[in-house]
Amino acid sequence: MTLYQSFVLVMVLAVIGACTIIFLALCGVLVLLDKIVKNIRRGIIRRKRLRK
């Protein structure tokens, strides 16, 4: 393996790693947003019930 080939391999692995981290971060953010939205909806429903 030449120096260039090893450099390309490291770059490819770095890109894959970065994509994986970004993907996991996006999934985490989506899960958090989903929980927040559900909590807000529950709060609105509770408020409507209390008004009645």
Side-chain angles (χ1 to χ4, degrees):
M1 247 173 103
T2 62
L3 185 67
Y4 177 72
Q5 282 176 328
S6 61
F7 177 72
V8 168
L9 186 67
V10 168
M11 288 298 290
V12 168
L13 287 172
V15 168
I16 291 166
C19 287
T20 304
I21 290 164
I22 290 164
F23 179 72
L24 288 172
L26 283 171
C27 285
V29 167
L30 285 171
V31 168
L32 283 172
L33 282 172
D34 189 50
K35 283 182 181 177
I36 291 164
V37 167
K38 281 180 182 174
N39 285 337
I40 290 167
R41 281 181 184 167
R42 281 180 191 166
I44 290 166
I45 289 164
R46 281 178 189 167
R47 282 175 193 166
K48 282 181 180 174
R49 283 180 186 168
L50 285 170
R51 281 178 189 171
K52 285 178 183 176

